[in-house]
Each structure stands twice: as C-alpha cells, then as structure tokens.
Amino acid sequence: MTDTKQDRTSHTSDQRRHTRGFFAMGNTCSNTLGIPPAKGPNAVGCTDFMMDHTTQGSFFRLYYPCQVTETAERPDWVPCREYFNGLADFLKISRTLSERIFNCLFGSFKIPASLDAPFKSNEKCPVVIFSHGLGAFRTLYSAICAELASQGFIVASVEHRDQSASATYYFREKTEEEKANKNVPINSAQPNLVEEWMYYRNLQHRENEFSLRNTQVKQRADECILALDKLTEINSGISVQNVLQTQFDWTTLENSMDLCRISAVGHSFGGATVIEALCKEVKFKCAIALDAWMFPLDEEIFPRVKQPIFFINSEKFQWAGNISRMKKLESAVIQRKMVTIRGAVHQSFPDFTFLTSNWIGKLMKLKGDINPEIAMDLCNKATLAFLQRHLGLQKNFNQWDPLIDGRDENLIPGTNITLLQSAI
C-alpha cells in the first residue's frame, strides 16, 4: 500500500523548502548565471499557441528546429509579472515582496531559443508532449525542451489549466457593458476578448488531497492529448486560429511531423500525468517520467499502461512509498527502466537549477551536489537514447544506451531507496 500521508508530507515539505529558498535568494542577483544553450545540430525556435481561447482550449509553448536568424529575439524566461504573482501564491508569500525578489533574481533571464523563428527541418520531426510539475508553467523546463528541439524533435510544453500551474490565463468574451466601456483594455489581436488569469489552487482545510490530485491528473492527461490533437490538425494542413498574436507561420508545419513517433515527457506531477496519458492514448509510444510524483494516480490503471516508461529520478527526492508505486509498473514484456542521478535534487530538472548561485542553490535544494549541467546532460542523453530505442529513430542517440541501464559514475541503476519486500 502507498502511504499517502508520506506522499503529502514529502511534497509539502519540499514546497516549504522552496519558500525559504526564494526569500533567502533576494540578495543574490547575478549576471553570470543562465540556462545553457542546446547542444544538438539544429538551431531552436519557440512560439506560443492557444486554441480556443477558453479554459477548454489548448495552450502550449512549441519548441522546434528553426532557421538560423541573426536578429531573432530570445524570449523572457518568465513571460510576465502575473507568473511571479502565481509563484508567490504557490509558495504562500506576499505578492508585493515576491515580485521584487523574483524580478531581481529572474527578470533578466532569457530562454535559449529564437522567438517565432522560421521552422526548418530536413526530415519529419518526432513529437514530444511535455507536462510541467506542480506550481510550474510552460516556460520553466526550457533546458530540456530546447535540447530535444535541437536534436530534431517538435516539443509542445503544455501549460495546464487544472489550477496546478502557479499561473496561467485564457480569454473570455466581453460583456456588452465592457464593449461600451472605453476604459476596458483592448486586445489588438482579439478586440472582443478579455484576458483572465487563473492561479494555483491550494488544498483546502480537511480536503481530501487524493481526490483533488486524481481529478487534476486526469484533466492534465486530457490536455496533453488535446495538444497532440492540435498538432495533428496543424500537420494535416487544417487552418488554425492562434488566439495569441505571434509572428510564427503555422502553415510551415504542414506535413512536418512524424506522427508515428510520439512520446510524452513530464516532471513530478507531470511524471504522473504522462503515465495517465499513456493509459488514455495509445498514440503515445513511450514516456519519460522525471522524478515522478506517483500519488495522484489510480493504481488500477497500471496494468492498462502498455507502453515503455523510463523513470529518471533524483537521489534526494524519492521515498519508499513512491518508488513502490513505480515498481508496480514493472513488466516482464514491456520495457520499464529506472535510473537515479547521484547528487541530484527534485529541482535539478527545471531551469531554476541554473539560475541561482551555487551555495544558495544547494542550501535551498534548488541545486544538488552534482553540477547541474552534468545532471541535465545525463538526463537529456538518457532520454534521447530511450526515445531512439522505442520510437525507432535513425539517429546516433544509441551511443548513450549505457545510461538507460545506469552505467555511468553519476548514475545509480534503479533506485537508491531501500524497499521492504512487503512494499513492492
């Protein structure tokens, strides 16, 4: 049996550590930090997509191989101040104070990709749908998403609207009063729509956490599938209406995707999300679960998941109840692999690990004992090797096959957590 109380305690204490960390980092602004550039042979572009404008629509950031352009703009890592407000709500700290701190710490960082750059690829691109963790949003995993795009993938990083993101937004129709009121801000792209923000929903007093998280993980999986459906439409040449005003030409993606080679990648709550998505949609051929938080999942779905899964864990986050749930997905006929990155922490997967000074990052669990670039490199190479194996790619990613089995001085095959036999 999984100890759900232990699940909650682990995630809650992890959140408290993050809170202390963000306060302590208020005086550590630095210009020497940054998200490392992708290492693959392709330049990387990114753009945002929203269709339709309501909460029922799809919203994601797309990363893709692009043409090299000298004048391309690199987008801000945090798109606007509302996301700072959302992070404050998630961490249960003052919005006023946090906005100043976050702006100092993170306001100047850019994503290592060219905004709205023209798409370019010499071959059809396999597709990855990426799911973020609790309290995150679509831009916080750019080191992983940009690396996959540089290696020839088209990656849709979904921004979830189940109130598990620290912040997200959608649009609603203007009322007749708002149409008549000249003081209501006008969206030049969609003059009859009003921007509405949705912030992180905290667990209520005496609320059953499993019920909330289980409902959310099912919605998240549906949102991943919806993003894939939208990409499928775009690939087939169906005209799409992007609610957001971007310069990217979506028609250039027609017939650009290899829809026989689709996978899902997610971190933490996103790790659970991609397992749920595999159960719901057979078009996903495999999944990578990064330090997955297994608590939200119904165990009854485990036998129904038929695709390969690769669990890449950090050494410092996991616990017996969570690992035992991963072990229940083991199969004699379907490849299920697990490795653990030595010295890594839960925040070794999002971009935060690159954006804080070394001693503060370690103190506040945003960095582990391992160099964050080494940890990210291991994660990305192992991911690429697994994707090649299970998507049938004709690449050279199989040079990193030993990493799938944990054969590296910075990897542990399987897990570092000791399990009682009765827990498996």
Side-chain angles (χ1 to χ4, degrees):
M1 295 289 289
T2 300
D3 185 348
T4 57
K5 183 178 180 181
Q6 187 177 13
D7 289 357
R8 284 198 298 274
T9 301
S10 175
H11 228 264
T12 303
S13 61
D14 203 48
Q15 184 174 328
R16 280 199 294 267
R17 287 197 297 271
H18 300 169
T19 305
R20 294 197 301 271
F22 282 118
F23 274 121
M25 289 186 293
N27 61 354
T28 61
C29 299
S30 171
N31 294 321
T32 61
L33 303 168
I35 303 163
K39 298 180 178 179
N42 299 288
V44 178
C46 70
T47 191
D48 284 330
F49 177 86
M50 187 186 292
M51 177 185 176
D52 59 42
H53 62 269
T54 71
T55 56
Q56 307 304 309
S58 186
F59 184 24
F60 55 80
R61 170 153 289 184
L62 196 76
Y63 297 82
Y64 53 89
C66 76
Q67 295 178 26
V68 177
T69 51
E70 297 298 327
T71 59
E73 174 190 352
R74 293 191 179 271
D76 291 336
W77 183 58
V78 177
C80 56
R81 63 185 293 273
E82 283 83 0
Y83 287 99
F84 290 145
N85 291 337
L87 286 169
D89 291 353
F90 176 64
L91 298 171
K92 299 181 180 179
I93 58 179
S94 159
R95 283 188 175 187
T96 304
L97 173 64
S98 66
E99 186 177 345
R100 288 198 296 269
I101 294 174
F102 293 151
N103 223 11
C104 172
L105 286 170
F106 306 122
S108 63
F109 289 120
K110 303 289 185 180
I111 282 177
S114 299
L115 185 64
D116 295 333
F119 170 76
K120 180 187 177 184
S121 179
N122 296 325
E123 56 190 353
K124 285 193 175 186
C125 301
V127 174
V128 170
I129 306 296
F130 190 94
S131 175
H132 64 70
L134 195 69
F137 42 92
R138 71 189 187 283
T139 67
L140 298 191
Y141 297 84
S142 66
I144 292 172
C145 295
E147 178 62 26
L148 289 170
S150 78
Q151 301 287 355
F153 291 80
I154 286 176
V155 184
S157 181
V158 175
E159 190 159 287
H160 290 295
R161 287 165 161 172
D162 61 328
Q163 295 182 290
S164 68
S166 60
T168 188
Y169 67 100
Y170 60 97
F171 294 91
R172 64 169 174 79
E173 302 282 346
K174 279 185 179 178
T175 64
E176 291 303 317
E177 288 182 3
E178 286 170 330
K179 288 178 183 177
N181 186 349
K182 294 182 179 180
N183 294 323
V184 175
I186 295 176
N187 180 330
S188 58
Q190 302 288 342
N192 290 321
L193 300 180
V194 178
E195 189 175 277
E196 288 280 346
W197 281 86
M198 177 189 296
Y199 292 103
Y200 178 77
R201 178 192 181 290
N202 281 299
L203 193 68
Q204 303 302 306
H205 181 59
R206 293 186 176 176
E207 183 177 14
N208 181 285
E209 183 169 15
F210 177 76
S211 177
L212 171 63
R213 302 307 184 201
N214 182 252
T215 300
Q216 287 178 321
V217 81
K218 289 173 179 174
Q219 179 178 333
R220 286 166 138 259
D222 288 342
E223 289 171 341
C224 289
I225 295 165
L226 181 59
L228 178 58
D229 290 344
K230 295 304 175 189
L231 290 181
T232 301
E233 290 178 12
I234 291 165
N235 187 70
S236 67
I238 294 174
S239 178
V240 295
Q241 175 86 33
N242 186 8
V243 180
L244 306 176
Q245 194 171 26
T246 69
Q247 300 300 312
F248 184 70
D249 182 359
W250 290 90
T251 64
T252 60
L253 291 178
E254 182 176 352
N255 206 30
S256 67
M257 302 172 218
D258 187 342
L259 297 179
C260 294
R261 293 181 167 89
I262 299 166
S263 59
V265 181
H267 172 244
S268 194
F269 202 175
T273 302
V274 299
I275 294 169
E276 181 81 27
L278 259 59
C279 181
K280 289 186 165 190
E281 179 53 79
V282 295
K283 291 177 184 175
F284 291 112
K285 302 303 182 188
C286 63
I288 316 290
L290 308 173
D291 235 7
W293 181 43
M294 301 293 288
F295 171 69
L297 293 168
D298 290 305
E299 288 193 16
E300 66 184 39
I301 75 163
F302 293 173
R304 307 205 319 258
V305 179
K306 303 301 182 185
Q307 304 95 316
I309 302 171
F310 189 15
F311 293 100
I312 303 179
N313 295 334
S314 69
E315 187 177 9
K316 306 296 185 181
F317 174 73
Q318 293 297 335
W319 64 99
N322 206 50
I323 294 292
S324 69
R325 287 190 135 214
M326 295 180 189
K327 292 280 189 181
K328 288 176 182 176
L329 279 157
E330 287 185 343
S331 168
V333 294
I334 305 165
Q335 189 167 77
R336 305 280 161 76
K337 305 292 286 186
M338 184 188 299
V339 298
T340 300
I341 303 176
R342 294 185 190 275
V345 297
H346 197 51
Q347 298 301 315
S348 293
F349 298 95
D351 298 332
F352 282 112
T353 193
F354 300 111
L355 306 181
T356 51
S357 63
N358 195 47
W359 71 273
I360 287 290
K362 284 185 177 180
L363 182 65
M364 301 307 163
K365 310 296 185 185
L366 295 170
K367 289 183 190 286
D369 295 329
I370 188 172
N371 179 304
E373 291 203 32
I374 292 174
M376 183 60 68
D377 201 46
L378 284 168
C379 174
N380 286 335
K381 286 176 177 176
T383 293
L384 289 165
F386 194 81
L387 292 177
Q388 170 152 330
R389 179 179 294 184
H390 295 289
L391 298 181
L393 304 176
Q394 301 300 312
K395 300 282 189 177
N396 64 347
F397 306 152
N398 56 346
Q399 65 182 299
W400 301 310
D401 275 355
L403 302 181
I404 298 174
D405 297 313
R407 297 206 298 272
D408 184 274
E409 63 181 2
N410 290 306
L411 294 177
I412 300 167
T415 181
N416 59 308
I417 302 298
T418 302
L419 300 180
L420 296 174
Q421 193 63 33
S422 60
I424 301 176

